[in-house]
Amino acid sequence: HGELLEGLERIDPGQLIDARQCFWDEEKIRAMTWPDVTGDRVFGYMTRLEMADFMDPGEKEKAVGRLKKSGHGLSLVYGYGAILLEEKPDILIWADMARWEIQGRMRRNEVSNLGVVNANDAFSEQYKRGFFVDWRVCDRLKRSRYEQIDFLLDTNQAGYPKMIDGDTFREGLRITAHRPFRVVPFFDPGPWGGQWMKYVVDLDKEAHNFAWCFDCVPEENSLHFRIEDETVEIPSVNLVFYQSQQLLGERVEARFGKEFPIRFDFLDTMDGGNLSFQVHPSTDYIQEHFGMHYTQDESYYLLDAADDGTVFLGLKEGIDPESMKKELRDADHNGVSFDVEKYVNRFPAKKHDHFLIPAGTVHCSGKNSMVLEISSTPYIFTFKMYDWGRLGLDGQPRPINVERGICNIRWDRDTPYVKEGLINKVDLIDEGDGWRAERTGLHPNEPIETHRHWFSKAVPHQTHGSVNVLNLVKGREAIVESPDDQFAPFVVHYAETFIVPEAVKRYIIRPYGEGEGQQLATIKAFIRK
């Protein structure tokens, strides 16, 4: 707000109205949002509030009255919900910012949440309020205004705003929805983080570790548009909202709405530690307790692993559930160690192994594994039940959710179940000159299917009526081409995730550049019928 206001004041308008002046006071807003924010350290409820709910109708009426009075000359209205004070402005400029940048500013105590003054709150508190309330409210308003935007303002880089006209913005989204593309990845450290990404992805060698890479999480990531000689950055969720049917496919949009249902991210534990011992909620539980439509089914695809790489997956056959519950609670309440291997299978993990993890299955990646996590996308709904006695990066214990976890453990997911149905379920489905295609999952309960293609020559692909998300899991370089020249060739490199919109329908991937003469492999995810 401060930077935006400074720029607007230079215009010297006849009147300048801050839409926040129409908001209810902070006490009322905190009370209004409490049922969604809750007192839980991590979880809340997906709000049904809209921007208008944050405004005092009396104050809004006063502001609208000021705008209607003549004699002011140029009037500027700015801030959250400004469009609600003047539904048909002469010019509408939409100031936008990617979620990763918002989170960075939260960590630096530079921003407050919607309608409250809390810049000095812990990042976890700000993020939770943002996730469950602010971003839902702001997105609902944005989704109804795309055709009305005259100019889009990129505010990601402090001190260097960039503005493009609305027609260019919309045309950029339309073009993107008909060609392969990558979102802008971002990387984060963690208490269990490793060293693999530093060197393979060429990150800051001085950093302590990198735990996560969000390589395809469109709600969090951003897109780069190259316009003349300038790069404009916008939240990639704009594409999901504005071009949902072209991007996702009609069948997928009908099932998931304007939400991108497939998530690819990296979990790096090479020379790091075990992930937390965890479980994801059932669909019924996530709907009832958090207001989400579907749950976080997932899988671990091993991009790499050391000789001692492991994955913890499923319960050992014949364990006593009551004994396990007691020991989990004791570890949580009294700080004693929980013997994970007493109750949970530990399997060796090697490069290109694929472990399927339908919701309700206890799991975690062990140290010295480099995981490409392929999952559906409810984002944060992981119930950590044990964290190996370590502290988070803030020096505090990370939140543990033993009781939520216990409510969601599928006690029948034991050793025989895991061995039979969750590890390396590979079926040959097609082959041609220089390539073969395999189905590697996912579990029948999960909406995502994954195909792996091994190839040394060009391999044909189709979208199967769904958006496709792929990663080059073997080989240095490949190129994605259109068989009928519908899009420009798109080059991808090892470990890069890329998205092929459903509107593309058919495409070809072949070795290219440093990949020539090699056997390459991609893993492809899509929503099955």
Side-chain angles (χ1 to χ4, degrees):
H1 265 280
E3 186 177 347
L4 183 62
L5 178 59
E6 182 182 344
L8 294 176
E9 286 176 336
R10 294 175 187 169
I11 300 174
D12 193 24
Q15 63 174 338
L16 184 61
I17 297 175
D18 182 351
R20 292 179 302 177
Q21 295 171 355
C22 301
F23 275 31
W24 294 108
D25 62 60
E26 181 169 341
E27 182 179 1
K28 182 175 176 65
I29 287 176
R30 285 189 178 274
M32 179 178 72
T33 57
W34 176 254
D36 299 322
V37 175
T38 78
D40 190 288
R41 286 184 64 189
V42 178
F43 301 110
Y45 194 90
M46 301 296 264
T47 192
R48 289 165 288 183
L49 295 171
E50 299 188 11
M51 188 67 74
D53 296 318
F54 284 71
M55 291 185 170
D56 178 337
E59 294 300 321
K60 178 183 175 183
E61 185 178 355
K62 291 178 186 177
V64 171
R66 287 173 56 192
L67 285 171
K68 289 181 177 178
K69 289 182 180 179
S70 59
H72 287 296
L74 176 64
S75 294
L76 293 179
V77 186
Y78 77 100
Y80 307 120
I83 188 67
L84 300 182
L85 304 186
E86 177 50 74
E87 292 283 348
K88 296 181 180 180
D90 295 311
I91 297 175
L92 175 60
I93 301 173
W94 202 277
D96 221 347
M97 182 181 291
R99 300 269 155 84
W100 67 265
E101 175 61 20
I102 296 172
Q103 292 175 52
R105 297 187 186 197
M106 285 176 172
R107 286 171 173 161
R108 297 189 297 270
N109 304 118
E110 295 175 354
V111 294
S112 289
N113 286 99
L114 185 65
V116 299
V117 179
N118 66 341
N120 292 319
D121 282 4
F123 167 71
S124 59
E125 287 295 319
Q126 284 198 289
Y127 178 83
K128 183 180 70 168
R129 179 175 281 273
F131 183 91
F132 287 100
V133 177
D134 299 1
W135 300 335
R136 311 307 142 199
V137 169
C138 292
D139 283 350
R140 285 185 183 119
L141 184 59
K142 180 199 290 188
R143 282 172 54 170
S144 67
R145 304 293 173 167
Y146 280 107
E147 294 296 346
Q148 194 177 355
I149 294 171
D150 295 299
F151 295 93
L152 183 113
L153 185 65
D154 167 9
T155 63
N156 288 285
Q157 187 175 346
Y160 192 48
K162 304 167 191 177
M163 192 162 71
I164 57 174
D165 68 81
D167 289 339
T168 299
F169 167 61
R170 288 181 287 271
E171 181 63 15
L173 293 176
R174 282 190 285 266
I175 291 171
T176 305
H178 290 82
R179 53 153 296 169
F181 65 95
R182 270 176 58 71
V183 295
V184 181
F186 71 93
F187 303 85
D188 245 358
W192 43 264
Q195 306 298 313
W196 191 90
M197 287 191 290
K198 273 191 196 180
Y199 298 95
V200 176
V201 189
D202 193 24
L203 303 177
D204 180 8
K205 306 303 187 294
E206 300 302 315
H208 180 61
N209 71 51
F210 287 97
W212 289 279
C213 169
F214 298 94
D215 206 31
C216 176
V217 187
E219 180 171 304
E220 305 267 356
N221 290 115
S222 55
L223 286 170
H224 280 167
F225 283 175
R226 190 70 177 172
I227 302 173
E228 296 180 350
D229 294 326
E230 192 63 77
T231 298
V232 176
E233 185 165 7
I234 65 166
S236 51
V237 75
N238 286 331
L239 181 66
V240 182
F241 291 156
Y242 187 64
Q243 292 285 295
S244 57
Q245 191 169 125
Q246 292 75 18
L247 174 65
L248 304 177
E250 183 177 0
R251 169 172 56 81
V252 177
E253 184 194 39
R255 182 174 181 180
F256 292 94
K258 294 180 184 295
E259 290 190 23
F260 197 91
I262 303 170
R263 160 174 151 170
F264 275 33
D265 60 278
F266 295 155
L267 307 172
D268 182 356
T269 69
M270 297 289 275
D271 294 320
N274 300 329
L275 268 66
S276 62
F277 175 57
Q278 59 193 240
V279 70
H280 298 298
S282 68
T283 300
D284 180 65
Y285 192 94
I286 204 170
Q287 288 176 346
E288 180 180 354
H289 291 267
F290 308 120
M292 293 291 295
H293 303 302
Y294 58 101
T295 193
Q296 186 166 323
D297 295 298
E298 66 184 27
S299 69
Y300 288 168
Y301 189 91
L302 271 292
L303 276 178
D304 206 349
D307 291 341
D308 60 346
T310 57
V311 167
F312 295 85
L313 184 62
L315 299 164
K316 287 186 174 178
E317 190 175 13
I319 63 105
D320 177 12
E322 295 308 314
S323 175
M324 180 175 167
K325 294 175 189 177
K326 180 180 181 302
E327 291 186 29
L328 280 169
R329 289 169 174 142
D330 195 29
D332 184 28
H333 297 154
N334 301 316
V336 299
S337 295
F338 173 71
D339 185 356
V340 175
E341 290 190 64
K342 177 180 176 182
Y343 296 101
V344 180
N345 302 301
R346 180 176 181 174
F347 296 102
K350 64 182 186 300
K351 197 170 185 175
H352 298 301
D353 280 348
H354 200 176
F355 298 85
L356 312 183
I357 313 171
T361 310
V362 297
H363 66 280
C364 71
S365 174
K367 65 181 181 179
N368 288 330
S369 299
M370 180 61 207
V371 170
L372 168 61
E373 186 178 52
I374 301 172
S375 71
S376 48
T377 50
Y379 307 104
I380 67 170
F381 296 95
T382 298
F383 300 144
K384 299 179 182 70
M385 294 181 289
Y386 182 62
D387 203 26
W388 312 95
R390 64 189 164 208
L391 300 178
L393 296 181
D394 59 1
Q396 301 298 316
R398 296 203 298 165
I400 301 297
N401 282 272
V402 168
E403 297 307 323
R404 291 189 189 276
I406 287 173
C407 286
N408 285 278
I409 292 174
R410 283 286 301 270
W411 300 99
D412 59 336
R413 302 269 172 86
D414 59 5
T415 308
Y417 185 97
V418 171
K419 287 183 175 180
E420 180 180 347
L422 301 186
I423 302 177
N424 291 330
K425 295 292 292 179
V426 178
D427 300 306
L428 179 67
I429 55 174
D430 201 2
E431 57 186 334
D433 181 21
W435 62 269
R436 74 179 189 274
E438 303 166 335
R439 180 183 292 110
T440 68
L442 295 187
H443 186 272
N445 288 3
E446 301 178 82
I448 297 170
E449 183 160 314
T450 54
H451 291 177
R452 179 171 56 201
H453 289 77
W454 302 95
F455 59 102
S456 57
K457 296 182 179 179
V459 54
H461 285 261
Q462 57 176 314
T463 58
H464 306 283
S466 163
V467 63
N468 290 187
V469 181
L470 301 95
N471 188 282
L472 184 64
V473 296
K474 185 178 187 294
R476 293 293 303 165
E477 202 169 19
I479 192 166
V480 188
E481 297 174 314
S482 170
D484 49 5
D485 298 320
Q486 294 299 305
F487 58 83
F490 181 74
V491 176
V492 295
H493 304 90
Y494 176 60
E496 288 184 345
T497 299
F498 58 102
I499 298 168
V500 179
E502 195 280 332
V504 168
K505 306 296 185 185
R506 298 185 301 128
Y507 58 103
I508 295 167
I509 303 179
R510 63 175 175 85
Y512 177 79
E514 293 183 53
E516 293 278 6
Q518 300 179 7
Q519 185 189 55
L520 283 66
T522 57
I523 190 81
K524 173 171 75 173
F526 58 93
I527 302 299
R528 61 165 65 103
K529 292 183 181 179

